Amino acid sequence: MSSSAFVTGVLAGLEPTPNINIWQWADKYRIMPKGSAEPGNWRTKRTPYLKEIMVELSPQSPTQKVNVIKPTQMGFTEIGNNMIGFYIHIEPRFGGMWMPTDKLAEKHSKKKLWKMVSETPVLKERVSDRRKGGGGSDESSTITEWSYPGGGLSIAGSGSGSSFRSDSYAFAIKDDMDGFVDDVDGEGSPVALIDNRTDSFANRKIYSNSTPTIAGNSHAETEYEDSDQREYYMPCPHCTPKEHDQQNQDNMLTFNINYFSYEYNKETFALESEVILICPHCEGEIKEYQKTWMMDWDSGAKWIAHNPGHVNRGYKINSFYSPLGWLTWKDIILERLKAQAKMKIGDMRPMKKWKNTRLAEAWEENYSKLDIDFLKEKQEDYDNEVPYGVLVLIASVDIQDDRLEILVEGYGHDEESWIIDREIIFGDPALPQVWEDLDRFLLNQTYDHENGKMKIYATGVDSGGSKTKYVYQYCKPRYSKRIYALKGARPLDAPIISKRDAKKSKYKTTFFMVGVTQLKDVVWGSLNITVPGPTYIHFSTGKKFTDDFFEQIISEKKDKTGRWNKIKPTVRNEAFDLLVYSRATLAITALNVNKLQEPIFFNQMKSTVKKRRVIRGGIR
Ligand SMILES: [Zn+2]
């Protein structure tokens, strides 16, 4: 059958399409594949908060833009999938779905959308099979470009320039929008570009959803501000009138985090009771099993606008609304307590994640301003010797045009650390002398501990900047001596360390990418702690630790996008970087410091590679 005959045949053979909306379509036709959270027939009743959103995305509603701020895994991506099914089957249109990256888009298409098509008969008979035709003719589909009678679908990553140039779309889905790239080929934000591609359709439908990230830099937050700002209100089983026409914002409640009640140990952050909800109106106790009744539209649950009358619809919800059998209230609170325990030792990351993915709230970067006096007050009376508590010594090296700066830091249990020594080697790093001096220092320098002598166990050398070649030349033959080349990784969420294989590197040297943003967050958190203990950084009164050292530590601040930048372009920041590289180096050694009972003295140190020809002679 030729492709045009295929289209005509399909169109002629179809029954008249019923006048239903998206959630009714999903309840009637959508089959969730095996392996999904709830296989079998889709039931909107299971996730009742999704119903109104699907109504608004249907052609019967005049609404054009719907934006959702949401936690992870609550079914909001499935709304997009249902929308696609509906606009293939009931009212065929051209549409596009964007996800943060091409990889995610392709994965979603393969694992979710094509599965939906193959399990849902009314879609299977419409979407041309991608396995036939091999993408040769106009009507055959590929993984990310679909064809069906009356329309087509593109599935793309947010940075895919071609997806914004070619077509215009009558419906658009922006899935997990806060993960989108900032700019597409210099043409601006994909969030705006997508809207532009829909401009020519009076009945366009734009659905965006996102888990928010950082306050002030969240698309989801900005779009929610520009909407009627709805929250999901439910009747209290004890005090709200049962008659729906008497229920309103003043006698219903939301699953606000502040209404939850539980006991926990203030020291260990262990949960010590059941998690229950206290009604803000009658103070009656509500147990988790009651949420199914509360969330049901038959009980009167509904979205209420806080900014009524706005032309755009905005919806905001948190994880406490997860249907019974999914994430529990207890799980959510346990995660919060764990994050609070981490916060106490200066690590804010788990709390940021909890707020983003559970409360669906953007994270306020509320960084305290450290000053020199605050840090200098921490100075303790030890100089070039190793205080009790230190178990291993790590050096980090920063390369400047005219010198090398070295920091020696000791680590004990629970990432508590002591600044031990600071050394500057003057000279041009392009010349061998500087590296010979560094070698002498790293390999020979010893520090007195009351039970023995300690040497530097491992060293990380920053290879960024203009002297990269010399750093690799130095580090390559010294890998077995635990002297590692490091390089800062730019992405905000880059892992703390990731190894790069020598074969793939330009200088044929194994090196490590360092997640500087994450580690700077950690260092900053540690610097703010006032009581010695886990992750606290001790400072020495040694005469090498002059004011400029402390100035360098507080030389950067975080901007709205979550990146660390120098306060002034001229300020020096070596000491802050060295604290970061020191922690990365400790991570590379994979040493479990918490398991050490005794310090690693120099006569116990072994090379990581035992049988190895030692290369001598410095730089060649
Ligand atoms: Zn009540």
Side-chain angles (χ1 to χ4, degrees):
M1 184 164 55
S2 77
S3 53
S4 58
F6 169 77
V7 174
T8 321
V10 168
L11 286 175
L14 292 181
E15 290 172 18
T17 50
N19 183 22
I20 54 175
N21 65 27
I22 294 175
W23 77 265
Q24 291 162 334
W25 177 86
D27 274 12
K28 193 168 163 129
Y29 297 104
R30 175 97 194 265
I31 313 286
M32 297 301 284
K34 289 180 203 86
S36 55
E38 302 203 346
N41 292 320
W42 170 276
R43 288 183 303 137
T44 303
K45 196 103 179 160
R46 196 70 180 106
T47 45
Y49 47 84
L50 300 180
K51 180 177 153 185
E52 181 183 305
I53 302 169
M54 288 191 271
V55 169
E56 294 308 317
L57 290 167
S58 300
Q60 295 88 345
S61 156
T63 301
Q64 294 189 355
K65 286 180 94 170
V66 173
N67 171 52
V68 179
I69 299 192
K70 52 139 200 126
T72 50
Q73 289 166 345
M74 294 269 294
F76 289 94
T77 297
E78 292 300 343
I79 290 186
N81 301 346
N82 289 341
M83 214 176 148
I84 288 169
F86 178 91
Y87 284 117
I88 290 172
H89 174 199
I90 303 296
E91 206 194 279
R93 301 176 172 195
F94 283 91
M97 179 177 203
W98 287 267
M99 302 195 108
T101 64
D102 288 342
K103 227 178 176 172
L104 279 171
E106 197 166 302
K107 192 172 156 205
H108 183 71
S109 181
K110 270 192 200 159
K111 305 251 166 181
K112 297 284 156 110
L113 292 173
W114 277 104
K115 256 196 171 155
M116 169 176 85
V117 168
S118 65
E119 307 262 337
T120 308
V122 292
L123 298 179
K124 201 176 177 185
E125 67 196 26
R126 281 172 174 78
V127 181
S128 67
D129 196 319
R130 69 186 156 100
R131 283 158 302 192
K132 289 177 196 160
S137 72
D138 284 352
E139 276 77 24
S140 61
S141 298
T142 65
I143 290 166
T144 54
E145 292 293 332
W146 294 18
S147 173
Y148 42 84
L153 176 73
S154 297
I155 304 140
S158 64
S160 154
S162 60
S163 68
F164 303 105
R165 277 188 283 276
S166 49
D167 294 294
S168 50
Y169 303 100
F171 72 92
I173 300 162
K174 297 179 248 180
D175 193 74
D176 205 11
M177 189 168 54
D178 271 13
F180 280 19
V181 298
D182 295 333
D183 182 83
V184 184
D185 303 343
E187 289 174 33
S189 160
V191 172
L193 290 175
I194 291 167
D195 289 2
N196 295 345
R197 304 314 301 155
T198 63
D199 276 348
S200 53
F201 297 92
N203 60 348
R204 66 176 179 167
K205 294 288 176 185
I206 303 174
Y207 168 52
S208 55
N209 70 60
S210 193
T211 301
T213 51
I214 293 164
N217 192 44
S218 163
H219 295 302
E221 209 183 35
T222 313
E223 293 215 350
Y224 186 74
E225 295 282 308
D226 186 27
S227 80
D228 67 356
Q229 303 173 13
R230 285 168 185 251
E231 287 187 46
Y232 201 66
Y233 280 78
M234 300 156 294
C236 166
H238 312 296
C239 70
T240 308
K242 297 285 178 278
E243 300 78 13
H244 293 187
D245 60 353
Q246 287 179 39
Q247 295 174 337
N248 57 50
Q249 194 175 333
D250 297 326
N251 59 27
M252 298 174 89
L253 66 141
T254 60
F255 285 154
N256 184 314
I257 176 71
N258 298 321
Y259 305 155
F260 287 88
S261 169
Y262 52 91
E263 303 287 323
Y264 67 96
N265 183 309
K266 304 284 185 292
E267 289 294 310
T268 62
F269 293 92
L271 183 63
E272 291 178 337
S273 75
E274 194 183 357
V275 178
I276 55 166
L277 184 72
I278 304 292
C279 171
H281 309 299
C282 70
E283 294 184 7
E285 290 187 2
I286 299 169
K287 301 222 170 173
E288 181 156 22
Y289 75 87
Q290 294 176 290
K291 73 182 175 184
T292 306
W293 175 84
M294 292 171 74
M295 282 159 56
D296 196 327
W297 58 76
D298 287 332
S299 313
K302 59 187 169 191
W303 290 95
I304 295 179
H306 288 201
N307 184 25
H310 198 291
V311 62
N312 297 332
R313 288 293 180 111
Y315 298 90
K316 190 174 180 179
I317 198 162
N318 64 42
S319 281
F320 291 104
Y321 291 88
S322 293
L324 211 60
W326 295 17
L327 191 70
T328 66
W329 290 354
K330 187 182 168 188
D331 290 336
I332 300 167
I333 296 301
L334 282 174
E335 253 184 46
R336 182 192 207 193
L337 291 169
K338 266 189 198 160
Q340 282 175 320
K342 285 281 186 186
M343 242 170 104
K344 203 178 167 187
I345 57 169
D347 186 356
M348 311 300 276
R349 292 169 299 164
M351 185 55 86
K352 173 181 181 291
K353 188 174 172 223
W354 185 81
K355 277 206 144 182
N356 288 164
T357 61
R358 300 302 180 214
L359 287 194
E361 280 181 9
W363 174 252
E364 295 277 348
E365 292 287 12
N366 191 13
Y367 274 85
S368 59
K369 286 199 182 74
L370 290 175
D371 60 27
I372 292 188
D373 292 337
F374 177 83
L375 294 180
K376 286 178 79 176
E377 266 173 36
K378 297 182 176 208
Q379 282 182 294
E380 297 164 40
D381 206 6
Y382 64 87
D383 184 11
N384 262 33
E385 70 210 30
V386 183
Y388 181 78
V390 172
L391 300 165
V392 60
L393 296 180
I394 300 290
S396 48
V397 184
D398 186 71
I399 314 296
Q400 297 292 324
D401 285 340
D402 61 347
R403 68 188 185 281
L404 312 183
E405 299 236 359
I406 308 159
L407 185 73
V408 180
E409 195 172 358
Y411 289 88
H413 290 163
D414 299 322
E415 294 164 53
E416 186 170 1
S417 76
W418 286 259
I419 305 295
I420 304 290
D421 194 11
R422 179 192 191 201
E423 185 71 24
I424 299 174
I425 296 172
F426 287 99
D428 182 350
L431 303 172
Q433 183 60 45
V434 176
W435 299 99
E436 284 160 22
D437 289 350
L438 177 63
D439 232 14
R440 210 166 297 127
F441 179 81
L442 294 179
L443 303 176
N444 299 333
Q445 184 70 21
T446 59
Y447 298 93
D448 288 330
H449 180 281
E450 59 178 23
N451 296 329
K453 278 192 186 303
M454 290 182 78
K455 281 172 75 169
I456 293 160
Y457 180 79
T459 303
V461 187
D462 179 19
S463 69
S466 59
K467 309 293 179 187
T468 308
K469 186 171 96 181
Y470 306 103
V471 174
Y472 287 132
Q473 279 180 359
Y474 176 75
C475 294
K476 187 174 183 176
R478 291 170 180 79
Y479 190 84
S480 66
K481 293 188 169 123
R482 291 181 291 265
I483 295 176
Y484 308 115
L486 312 178
K487 194 171 183 334
R490 195 163 159 72
L492 289 177
D493 57 353
I496 284 174
I497 48 160
S498 56
K499 193 174 181 177
R500 291 289 186 274
D501 198 38
K503 282 182 205 135
K504 288 176 191 155
S505 95
K506 187 178 165 193
Y507 298 100
K508 301 288 173 240
T509 307
T510 301
F511 68 100
F512 294 85
M513 296 299 291
V514 176
V516 284
T517 305
Q518 288 208 54
L519 279 171
K520 282 180 177 177
D521 290 351
V522 168
V523 169
W524 200 257
S526 296
L527 291 169
N528 271 286
I529 301 174
T530 50
V531 188
T535 78
Y536 182 88
I537 303 173
H538 298 259
F539 291 94
S540 146
T541 48
K543 58 182 186 304
K544 290 174 177 174
F545 299 100
T546 44
D547 279 4
D548 73 308
F549 175 75
F550 294 100
E551 271 165 16
Q552 289 175 23
I553 291 178
I554 54 169
S555 58
E556 297 192 13
K557 70 167 194 255
K558 224 172 162 168
D559 67 18
K560 273 188 155 185
T561 69
R563 279 185 206 288
W564 288 87
N565 297 303
K566 285 182 178 182
I567 296 169
K568 284 182 289 196
T570 51
V571 79
R572 285 174 51 191
N573 63 347
E574 292 90 318
F576 192 39
D577 280 345
L578 288 168
L579 288 169
V580 165
Y581 286 121
S582 166
R583 279 152 186 76
T585 307
L586 180 65
I588 293 167
T589 65
L591 204 60
N592 188 344
V593 182
N594 278 354
K595 282 213 170 141
L596 295 176
Q597 297 302 324
E598 283 287 315
I600 303 180
F601 293 113
F602 81 96
N603 51 356
Q604 300 158 339
M605 280 170 50
K606 294 186 193 101
S607 288
T608 45
V609 182
K610 280 176 193 161
K611 288 180 188 167
R612 190 176 182 285
R613 189 166 53 89
V614 178
I615 300 165
R616 295 189 185 279
I619 304 293
R620 273 164 295 177

